Amino acid sequence: MASKFVSEFKEFIAQGNVMDMAVGIIIGGAFTAIVTALTTNIINPLITLATGGNGTNVGGLAFQVTDTVILDFGAFIGAILNFLIIALVVFCLVKGVNGLKKTIMREEEKEEEASTKACPFCKEDVAIEATRCPHCTSELAD
């Protein structure tokens, strides 16, 4: 029973979708690090410069509530910016992939249309080279 489970697990792992997902997660993690660096090192300092912060937090948006509790709205804004940048890039990627899929499907449809013709008698699709319709058995003219 355990060997059947192991073999099913191996089959599951070897599927293309799992490998694609793993690559996506790895690339997503790396991309998140890039966006975080962009937000932390470029966008947050610009916000600090624009709002007159003291340089230790984004625009003076951190407030000390008690000795140990700090409300850091700057970090929250940075996280929102990270999310929005990543969401925009993912949206653009999905839009591009969907456009590519549509283009490929149109090309396949053109190839399919060029390889078939309609039977003049039963109106079914027949291979272009056919001399007899496989649906109604009528002889087809060239």
Side-chain angles (χ1 to χ4, degrees):
M1 182 162 159
S3 65
K4 182 179 178 186
F5 178 80
V6 170
S7 66
E8 287 177 359
F9 182 71
K10 285 180 184 178
E11 181 180 331
F12 170 74
I13 290 298
Q15 289 179 346
N17 293 342
V18 174
M19 293 302 178
D20 292 344
M21 183 181 68
V23 169
I25 289 171
I26 291 167
I27 291 174
F31 182 71
T32 300
I34 292 170
V35 172
T36 301
L38 170 73
T39 305
T40 303
N41 299 318
I42 296 175
I43 295 174
N44 287 353
L46 290 175
I47 293 172
T48 301
L49 182 65
T51 60
N54 61 10
T56 59
N57 56 51
V58 177
L61 297 176
F63 303 100
Q64 183 117 17
V65 178
T66 65
D67 289 341
T68 58
V69 177
I70 297 174
L71 298 177
D72 192 354
F73 292 103
F76 181 67
I77 291 170
I80 291 172
L81 290 173
N82 279 354
F83 171 77
L84 292 175
I85 292 168
I86 291 171
L88 175 68
V89 170
V90 168
F91 172 75
C92 292
L93 285 173
V94 169
K95 191 168 178 65
V97 168
N98 286 343
L100 184 63
K101 283 182 182 178
K102 285 180 184 177
T103 302
I104 290 171
M105 289 188 65
R106 275 190 238 123
E107 292 298 322
E108 288 175 353
E109 287 173 3
K110 286 179 185 176
E111 289 175 9
E112 185 178 306
E113 287 175 7
S115 65
T116 61
K117 62 183 175 184
C119 172
F121 302 102
C122 69
K123 306 298 183 205
E124 293 290 330
D125 283 339
V126 181
I128 248 177
E129 300 86 21
T131 58
R132 190 174 284 276
C133 177
H135 305 284
C136 68
T137 69
S138 300
E139 283 192 40
L140 303 173
D142 288 338

